[in-house]
């Protein structure tokens, strides 16, 4: 069962690096589309950079998923090589990954509200007048249409493989 759990953990690791790879490749196109939308709305295009809003693979959009992938790969290695820590590490890290993925899914589902609230908190009248749904739609259109399918597959793999890894660990 440890080998099965390891394979599931490697699937989770792969899933976590998939989106940063897409963001790395197409993020500048998405950013350009978002800036064009801001221009259309009469908002300075630098407002996104000024407020730390990015669509590429920079910052936490890379280090967080890559770190999770590294932890999953390390846990898979412990499982493959039969280390005594395999079971507790799987229970700890796989559960954390499940919870993190819930937060990621929630943040994606509430992105418009979250961005609107963040812009309101800044107290900048320029930010307050941005049509956030149009801005996010423009950025989304900067990515290939299959990106959203990949995102859903990624969630399915992370949830499914994590549950299967935990089940395999429980049965071991």
């Amino acid at each position: 069962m440890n080998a099965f759990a390891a394979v599931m953990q490697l699937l989770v690791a792969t899933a976590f690096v998939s989106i940063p790879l897409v963001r790395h490749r197409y993020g500048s196109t998405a950013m350009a589309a978002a800036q064009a939308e801001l221009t259309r709305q009469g908002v300075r295009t630098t407002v996104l950079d000024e407020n730390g809003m990015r669509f590429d693979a920079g910052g936490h959009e890379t280090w967080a998923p890559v770190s999770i992938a590294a932890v999953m790969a390390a846990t898979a290695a412990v499982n493959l090589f039969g280390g005594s820590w395999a079971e507790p590490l799987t229970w700890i890290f796989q559960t954390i990954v499940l919870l993190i993925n819930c937060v990621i899914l929630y943040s994606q589902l509430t992105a418009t509200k979250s961005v609107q609230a963040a812009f309101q908190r800044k107290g900048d009248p320029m930010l307050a007048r941005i049509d956030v749904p149009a801005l996010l739609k423009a950025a989304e259109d900067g990515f290939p249409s299959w990106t959203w399918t990949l995102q859903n597959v990624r969630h399915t793999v992370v949830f499914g493989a994590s549950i299967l890894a935990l089940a395999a660990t429980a049965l071991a």
Side-chain angles (χ1 to χ4, degrees), residues 20-170:
L21 290 173
V22 171
R23 283 177 164 270
H24 176 73
R25 170 68 178 88
Y26 300 101
S28 59
T29 304
M31 189 64 153
Q35 289 171 334
E37 175 58 26
L38 289 175
T39 298
R40 188 193 69 73
Q41 292 182 30
V43 176
R44 68 184 183 277
T45 59
T46 58
V47 76
L48 298 178
D49 285 332
E50 292 165 6
N51 288 281
M53 190 170 184
R54 312 170 63 141
F55 299 102
D56 62 8
H60 79 278
E61 295 292 346
T62 295
W63 69 256
V66 168
S67 297
I68 291 167
V71 168
M72 285 289 92
T75 306
V78 173
N79 268 302
L80 281 174
F81 297 110
S84 63
W85 285 87
E87 187 175 322
L89 290 178
T90 295
W91 280 110
I92 292 166
F93 292 129
Q94 213 66 63
T95 301
I96 291 170
V97 165
L98 273 171
L99 294 173
I100 288 170
N101 207 57
C102 288
V103 170
I104 291 168
L105 182 58
Y106 177 79
S107 73
Q108 290 171 341
L109 294 174
T110 61
T112 299
K113 259 191 212 176
S114 297
V115 172
Q116 287 170 328
F119 283 0
Q120 290 297 326
R121 279 192 307 271
K122 295 282 186 171
D124 181 341
M126 180 77 64
L127 289 175
R129 69 186 188 106
I130 293 174
D131 179 353
V132 173
L135 172 67
L136 295 179
K137 174 74 171 111
E140 180 180 310
D141 289 347
F143 290 100
S145 60
W146 51 260
T147 303
W148 312 113
T149 302
L150 173 64
Q151 179 177 282
N152 291 333
V153 168
R154 188 195 95 45
H155 284 302
T156 301
V157 167
V158 171
F159 284 127
S162 293
I163 291 167
L164 289 172
L166 288 169
T169 301

